[in-house]
Amino acid sequence: MRILIDECVHVGVKAAFPGHAVKTVSEIGWHSAKDGPLLAYAQERFDVFVTIDRKLERQHNLKELKLGFVLARVPNNKIESYRPIFAQLQRAAEDVKPGEVLHVVHPQMRS
């Protein structure tokens, strides 16, 4: 599976996806890109987009895109906040279908 991690996500989250081809937005040279062009590019080259940007779901019609989305909700962008949900992130990335958004919420954020 080809996974793209948004630039707003800690780069260490790559470790949550062993056995998969994982790149960050910065690694592919698209840092600071607008969402629309980035998503158009990503849907042709990746299967899953991992982000913490909750606005993405409201600002774009993700159902029309050919990649799935995993939206992580963590207390902060430190790697320590992601580690407790690594298994859930991996499962979500493996289960998400094109045009679908799966939410993975850190236990501290559930209320």
Side-chain angles (χ1 to χ4, degrees):
M1 177 174 313
R2 301 164 302 161
I3 300 171
L4 181 61
I5 297 178
D6 201 356
E7 66 185 328
C8 58
V9 175
H10 191 286
V11 69
V13 172
K14 288 175 72 171
F17 308 101
H20 297 290
V22 185
K23 297 283 186 187
T24 66
V25 167
S26 294
E27 286 175 330
I28 63 167
W30 278 73
H31 54 281
S32 301
K34 299 266 187 221
D35 288 341
L38 173 62
L39 295 176
Y41 174 86
Q43 75 173 340
E44 299 300 327
R45 292 159 182 87
F46 294 91
D47 304 302
V48 178
F49 187 72
V50 178
T51 188
I52 59 173
D53 184 358
R54 292 190 286 166
K55 294 180 291 182
L56 195 69
E57 202 171 8
R58 292 189 308 270
Q59 294 174 339
H60 300 277
N61 188 355
L62 303 180
K63 290 181 176 120
E64 294 181 355
L65 298 177
K66 296 185 284 188
L67 72 163
F69 296 85
V70 175
L71 203 153
R73 205 160 152 226
V74 290
N76 58 56
N77 201 30
K78 296 179 180 172
I79 192 60
E80 294 81 19
S81 292
Y82 290 95
R83 283 195 184 110
I85 61 171
F86 267 19
Q88 294 165 283
L89 288 169
Q90 182 179 14
R91 196 171 324 110
E94 292 170 351
D95 292 347
V96 71
K97 295 177 180 31
E100 182 178 38
V101 179
L102 294 182
H103 296 257
V104 176
V105 182
H106 188 282
Q108 285 183 349
M109 303 299 292
R110 294 181 189 136
S111 54

